[in-house]
Amino acid sequence: MFIDIPSGLEAALIDLPLPTWKLEGSFLAESTMEWYRTELKATPRFEETAATLRRALTGEGGGYAVLRLGNLAKALGPDDDRFLRLVTGFAAEVAVPFSPFPRWPLWKDIGVKVDKDPGKSSGIGYNAFHMDLVNGTLPPDYTTLLCVRPDPLGGGTSILSDAHAAVARLAKDSRALLAESVYHYGTFFDLFGVGEECKPFPVLDGSDPGAGFVRFTGKMPERSDLGQAHADAARELAEELVRGQVSLILQPGDYLIVNQRRFLHGREALRSGQETVPVADRRLLLQLFLRARADADSAV
């Protein structure tokens, strides 16, 4: 699921001056997406690369991809505005970029805070498998992470797992428990574009096998008031997700896109000694969410 950028396309993108984006509410403006698309389609092999990316995310057996933009990041700077516009242009070929957090810009920083809850996205510990915005009635269809800096000590491996494959390995009784609306997790306030709060919610939404969201976070069994049977079913699913996990280390410029209707994601712990690393040198990711277009294929 790693997608390299053809050298001719890289050379053309380095010199491509995409304009500053505009937003319509919390979503990337349609005018910006059309402008980006027009400029990018004129570069050699862009459409071919974008089609490969979409197939990796929505085709049979797919659900995630890593677009390798390291050379572009090195040439332009991994957090330079020109580079972020190019990455946003690729993202817009998949779905509509948006920010559910009004207090954050389109791209949200995920740095490292040694005094944060270790299991949080900005913590230093193991971040269990989860779906982002799990408690919204309309979670983002895609969650994406752009690596600016990996953990200089070598930790923080990204982990992914096919949620529907994990569910299929569960016993029928466990699946029945996960389909009941008894689960809840997290707070819900000051959010855009993700619907209303869903509390409680079912992990399995009743869609046909292999379809729909698997509303899960590995933190639910310990942080929700669940009966023993429902908690055990959630733990069984967590174990199956780990059994089927894929691990990868993101390098500078790597752009990970996860189809949340198919895969869940998480992170292994960062290496010990983070307090000795200067803040400016610690692991840094930028996060962007995507909403599938209304006319997108039903598998998306």
Side-chain angles (χ1 to χ4, degrees):
M1 297 299 179
F2 287 88
I3 300 173
D4 292 310
I5 305 299
S7 58
L9 176 56
E10 281 184 338
L13 292 177
I14 288 173
D15 297 323
L16 188 66
L18 293 179
T20 301
W21 59 68
K22 295 181 180 180
L23 300 180
E24 294 174 350
S26 59
F27 289 81
L28 190 67
E30 185 65 33
S31 59
T32 295
M33 289 190 287
E34 289 298 328
W35 195 340
Y36 283 11
R37 186 172 298 119
T38 298
E39 295 293 328
L40 290 167
K41 284 173 64 175
T43 58
R45 301 185 66 183
F46 173 79
E47 289 187 276
E48 170 191 331
T49 304
T52 299
L53 176 61
R54 289 190 292 268
R55 283 195 300 271
L57 293 168
T58 63
E60 184 175 355
Y64 74 92
V66 178
L67 199 59
R68 312 215 77 166
L69 304 173
N71 290 337
L72 288 170
K74 185 176 181 179
L76 299 174
D79 55 356
D80 182 88
D81 286 347
R82 293 176 300 163
F83 178 60
L84 288 182
R85 290 170 199 163
L86 291 173
V87 184
T88 303
F90 274 106
E93 290 296 308
V94 174
V96 183
F98 78 106
S99 171
F101 309 111
R103 62 189 181 279
W104 290 94
L106 188 62
W107 289 87
K108 176 179 179 289
D109 288 8
I110 299 179
V112 173
K113 298 178 181 177
V114 296
D115 56 349
K116 190 88 170 182
D117 178 344
K120 295 287 189 181
S121 59
S122 58
I124 62 175
Y126 176 70
N127 190 3
F129 280 112
H130 63 279
M131 186 181 81
D132 286 333
L133 282 300
V134 67
N135 58 339
T137 55
L138 294 173
D141 295 291
Y142 299 87
T143 185
T144 80
L145 295 167
L146 175 64
C147 180
V148 176
R149 288 188 302 273
D151 177 7
L153 301 180
T157 300
S158 295
I159 54 175
L160 302 117
S161 192
D162 184 329
H164 292 288
V167 168
R169 294 192 294 270
L170 296 175
K172 183 178 179 180
D173 289 348
S174 294
R175 294 199 298 271
L177 288 165
L178 292 170
E180 296 180 8
S181 296
V182 299
Y183 296 91
H184 55 90
Y185 177 79
T187 57
F188 192 93
F189 64 94
D190 201 17
L191 296 172
F192 288 157
V194 292
E196 305 297 327
E197 183 174 15
C198 193
K199 180 182 179 180
F201 55 81
V203 174
L204 307 181
D205 64 7
S207 300
D208 293 335
F213 289 113
V214 176
R215 291 179 178 272
F216 182 80
T217 168
K219 301 168 188 174
M220 282 191 311
E222 286 72 33
R223 302 190 185 185
S224 298
D225 184 16
L226 296 171
Q228 189 64 49
H230 290 97
D232 287 345
R235 291 190 183 96
E236 289 176 28
L237 177 52
E239 291 171 0
E240 290 300 330
L241 289 165
V242 172
R243 181 178 301 180
Q245 83 176 35
V246 175
S247 303
L248 51 91
I249 298 179
L250 298 177
Q251 301 298 329
D254 281 351
Y255 185 39
L256 170 64
I257 305 178
V258 182
N259 183 339
Q260 292 213 115
R261 293 183 180 271
R262 298 189 179 188
F263 272 71
L264 301 181
H265 68 287
R267 181 203 66 225
E268 299 284 4
L270 277 65
R271 289 282 175 83
S272 60
Q274 294 296 317
E275 66 281 355
T276 69
V277 179
V279 172
D281 295 334
R282 292 175 183 168
R283 183 177 189 261
L284 176 61
L285 304 180
L286 300 181
Q287 186 171 43
L288 175 69
F289 298 98
L290 308 178
R291 168 72 62 217
R293 295 175 178 84
D295 58 352
D297 187 275
S298 60
V300 178

